[in-house]
Amino acid sequence: MRLLPLSIIVGLILFFGLSVGPLPAWAQTNTMQVKCVDQSGKPVSGLKVFIQEVTSGKVANVDVKGDGIARFKDLSNGFYRIIARKQGYETAYYEFVKLSGNANESVTLTFRPGDSQKKIYFEDQALAEQARNLLLEGVDLLQNARWAEGAEKLKASLAINPSSADAYFNLAVALMQQRQWEQAEPYLVSAAKYFEIGLAIEKARPPDSQNPQLIDAYQKSINQANEWRQRLPLMKIAAAADDAMRKQDFATAAAKHRELIQMEPNNPDHYYSLAVALGNDKKYDEAIQAIDRALAMKPGEKDYEDIKSRLLHNKEAAKLEAAKKIVHEADDLYNSGQYSEALRKYEQARPMLPENVQHAVWAAIGRTHAKLNHPDQAIAAYRQAIRLEPTKSDYWKSLAQYYMEQKQYDQMFQTYTDWYSLPSSSTKPDEGLFKLGKDFLGQDKNDLAMSAFNRVLSLNPNHAEVHYELGVNHFYSGDKTKAKEFLTKYLSIGKDQRHLEDAKAILAVMKVAPAKAGPKKPSKKRG
């Protein structure tokens, strides 16, 4: 909250430096009576009451008799200051009374026991200067955020000059900064009142002696004081929202911002602040709705667009974290054999994740369906994992292994072929299937091994080592014709010296003796 520049009322003429004469012949339109009473309300008489028209500086006086009333007639339009003294009482005064349009005003001066010679700030230049210095000291303290100290200085200034618009205004600022909203309101009322008086006095001057800058400053000050007074309820709620945010009580902050929206539904900043509070409370959908309302009112506002971007990012991050937590719970259930519950958790987590990171969950779903003996669902889930992340070898292996468990061997081999055919694969399809066939041989799965080797041959008819393996296997299975065909081919294309010697030996045996008289059958893991 900025402090308004000082707009000190100038041009007030001191009373008692002027000679007092009969009532001047001013424009005769207004009347005023001044009642003089003591603290019990009894009339006070035997004194003179002086009035001064502030703009012109003209002074008049009337004697007060038994009824305690001074009656002034035929007064011109303007603002008047009233002062009176009586022995044994403090000086009594009142400012400012506005007279215009045949007004008939009444003012009461209350006399309290004290020093009748006590000077008033507008009578004594030293007192006026003291009030001004206290005002300036107070403002300086406020500008350094020393609110309580500044308020004390301003109160001291007002004790000397209770008609200072600037002191009232800045004291209201100090109180608002200290969240003392109810205490601030009457000071804003007084500030506006005395700024209006200052403006009227300045405008009453002859046009050639008016100060346009001062008139403008008065008007801005009046507008500011009135605006702040009207907005005090909103300021109070906004301050409570700020306090709640500092305490990280985001729910309370959001509730306060909703109150502000009810009071000012067309203020986009309230929706922005609501979005910030809701975002901190991790209520991202509501926060995004709020910031969208702000952007609808103020399209393109950078701060609004920035907070929306952060909200969208944080929403996705929160969903990701929540999904990860559910996946961990599902993993624990799976590992403990609770497959149905695990599947439910995996299915709950999957749509919470962006599609491009769902592949691991799809693989887990496939694995779980497999445990539950749901072959179609398991295969479909594995294929989804592969579709989303085709370079993940574990997904291909899991699908192929499941096909094998289901005795769907053609699908198994096709899965391996598709995997090795990927551009990202470092293994060619024929070499991958050849290695698979060798693995099957080591597991005594000769039929699967032969199927693998035949698939290699369909992919690469000149794969030398597959001819060797097929030739040897046909020899020991008793199919000499095919054994001879494959081993003879190997002699023409093979490069492994040991395998070449074995092929020659087998061919020689088949030429001179029955198969049972041939060499000893090689071990399962042939080199």
Side-chain angles (χ1 to χ4, degrees):
M1 189 178 293
R2 296 184 300 176
L3 304 179
L4 208 67
L6 295 178
S7 305
I8 305 299
I9 297 177
V10 297
L12 303 184
I13 300 173
L14 300 183
F15 254 91
F16 296 98
L18 301 175
S19 59
V20 177
L23 188 67
W26 301 335
Q28 299 171 1
T29 54
N30 304 288
T31 62
M32 177 170 54
Q33 66 175 14
V34 181
K35 297 179 181 179
C36 300
V37 299
D38 62 16
Q39 287 179 290
S40 67
K42 293 180 179 179
V44 175
S45 60
L47 53 87
K48 285 184 182 292
V49 173
F50 296 85
I51 64 169
Q52 179 187 44
E53 198 282 307
V54 175
T55 304
S56 66
K58 293 179 179 180
V59 177
N61 69 87
V62 170
D63 291 326
V64 178
K65 298 181 181 179
D67 61 359
I69 297 176
R71 295 175 175 83
F72 294 88
K73 299 179 181 180
D74 302 327
L75 300 179
S76 63
N77 295 339
F79 285 90
Y80 288 81
R81 176 183 285 140
I82 307 160
I83 189 169
R85 283 183 169 87
K86 183 173 177 63
Q87 188 67 32
Y89 294 93
E90 284 188 357
T91 304
Y93 72 99
Y94 185 95
E95 56 181 5
F96 298 89
V97 181
K98 181 181 180 181
L99 296 179
S100 64
N102 299 314
N104 182 11
E105 295 291 340
S106 178
V107 175
T108 299
L109 293 181
T110 301
F111 288 81
R112 295 174 176 81
D115 182 7
S116 64
Q117 299 307 308
K118 179 181 177 181
K119 295 292 185 181
I120 309 303
Y121 79 95
F122 50 76
E123 297 179 296
D124 188 333
Q125 188 64 39
L127 281 175
E129 189 66 22
Q130 183 182 359
R132 176 179 172 78
N133 289 338
L134 286 167
L135 170 62
L136 295 174
E137 290 172 21
V139 170
D140 185 63
L141 288 166
L142 300 193
Q143 289 172 338
N144 288 280
R146 295 165 66 179
W147 311 112
E149 295 173 73
E152 291 306 312
K153 292 287 185 181
L154 294 166
K155 289 177 181 178
S157 177
L158 284 170
I160 299 171
N161 176 7
S163 301
S164 172
D166 291 295
Y168 285 117
F169 183 88
N170 286 287
L171 181 52
V173 171
L175 293 171
M176 287 189 289
Q177 289 287 355
Q178 296 176 84
R179 308 294 200 259
Q180 297 178 28
W181 310 104
E182 288 76 11
Q183 296 91 323
E185 183 174 12
Y187 290 109
L188 288 173
V189 173
S190 294
K193 169 187 171 182
Y194 287 109
F195 280 133
E196 287 171 355
I197 291 170
L199 176 63
I201 291 171
E202 187 62 26
K203 285 185 173 181
R205 299 181 185 281
D208 59 352
S209 62
Q210 291 180 5
N211 184 335
Q213 288 78 19
L214 187 57
I215 290 174
D216 183 61
Y218 277 134
Q219 190 60 64
K220 288 180 178 177
S221 300
I222 294 165
N223 295 341
Q224 185 73 81
N226 288 331
E227 179 185 349
W228 281 355
R229 183 189 174 195
Q230 292 173 0
R231 293 182 63 82
L232 276 175
L234 286 91
M235 291 180 182
K236 182 177 181 179
I237 296 170
D242 289 343
D243 290 342
M245 286 294 290
R246 279 194 292 272
K247 295 174 184 176
Q248 297 189 357
D249 183 0
F250 304 121
T252 296
K256 293 298 179 183
H257 287 305
R258 286 193 174 98
E259 288 184 45
L260 292 172
I261 287 171
Q262 289 181 342
M263 298 171 76
E264 285 189 327
N266 296 320
N267 187 333
D269 287 340
H270 295 331
Y271 291 96
Y272 168 83
S273 298
L274 175 61
V276 172
L278 290 169
N280 277 285
D281 206 22
K282 303 187 186 309
K283 295 181 178 179
Y284 298 112
D285 289 335
E286 294 178 62
I288 291 167
Q289 289 177 2
I291 200 61
D292 282 342
R293 290 289 302 275
L295 281 166
M297 297 179 191
K298 201 172 182 181
E301 175 65 29
K302 186 177 184 305
D303 287 344
Y304 298 175
E305 290 178 341
D306 287 347
I307 194 65
K308 181 173 182 179
S309 177
R310 289 197 295 274
L311 287 169
L312 291 170
H313 175 270
N314 292 343
K315 177 184 176 181
E316 291 305 312
K319 283 177 60 179
L320 185 60
E321 284 303 311
K324 286 180 179 178
K325 181 180 178 182
I326 295 171
V327 168
H328 287 318
E329 293 171 358
D331 289 342
D332 291 341
L333 290 166
Y334 179 90
N335 292 332
S336 65
Q338 300 178 64
Y339 302 122
S340 294
E341 285 300 306
L343 181 61
R344 185 181 65 80
K345 289 283 186 179
Y346 286 131
E347 292 288 7
Q348 179 186 352
R350 183 188 57 74
M352 297 170 64
L353 297 166
E355 189 182 35
N356 63 333
V357 296
Q358 289 181 10
H359 50 85
V361 180
W362 276 116
I365 290 172
R367 177 186 65 193
T368 310
H369 275 302
K371 289 290 186 181
L372 291 167
N373 196 26
H374 302 157
D376 292 341
Q377 295 95 322
I379 290 167
Y382 281 132
R383 288 203 170 277
Q384 276 285 64
I386 290 169
R387 181 183 69 82
L388 294 172
E389 185 49 85
T391 63
K392 188 80 171 179
S393 60
D394 287 347
Y395 301 161
W396 292 97
K397 290 178 182 178
S398 296
L399 177 59
Q401 182 65 31
Y402 189 67
Y403 275 132
M404 187 174 74
E405 293 172 3
Q406 296 297 307
K407 303 186 185 307
Q408 299 183 41
Y409 300 122
D410 287 341
Q411 291 89 334
M412 176 193 70
F413 285 121
Q414 189 59 52
T415 298
Y416 278 116
T417 302
D418 292 342
W419 173 26
Y420 293 131
S421 297
L422 292 174
S424 58
S425 175
S426 60
T427 303
K428 293 181 179 179
D430 58 341
E431 291 298 332
L433 290 174
F434 179 72
K435 181 180 182 303
L436 181 64
K438 296 279 284 181
D439 291 341
F440 284 141
L441 282 179
Q443 300 167 24
D444 275 337
K445 297 176 180 177
N446 285 356
D447 289 343
L448 289 176
M450 294 296 285
S451 294
F453 291 148
N454 282 318
R455 284 178 176 271
V456 172
L457 202 61
S458 67
L459 293 171
N460 182 4
N462 291 316
H463 192 289
E465 293 304 316
V466 83
H467 282 84
Y468 173 78
E469 295 294 343
L470 285 169
V472 171
N473 276 277
H474 281 303
F475 173 73
Y476 287 107
S477 65
D479 191 339
K480 292 183 179 180
T481 301
K482 286 189 176 181
K484 181 178 180 180
E485 175 187 344
F486 284 116
L487 291 174
T488 300
K489 178 69 172 179
Y490 185 74
L491 291 179
S492 65
I493 62 176
K495 295 182 180 180
D496 185 300
Q497 193 60 42
R498 185 161 62 86
H499 286 175
L500 286 170
E501 293 299 326
D502 285 347
K504 289 176 183 179
I506 293 172
L507 287 170
V509 167
M510 285 191 295
K511 185 176 182 180
V512 299
K516 62 181 180 179
K520 183 179 179 182
K521 183 177 181 180
S523 65
K524 297 174 185 176
K525 296 183 179 180
R526 293 189 288 276

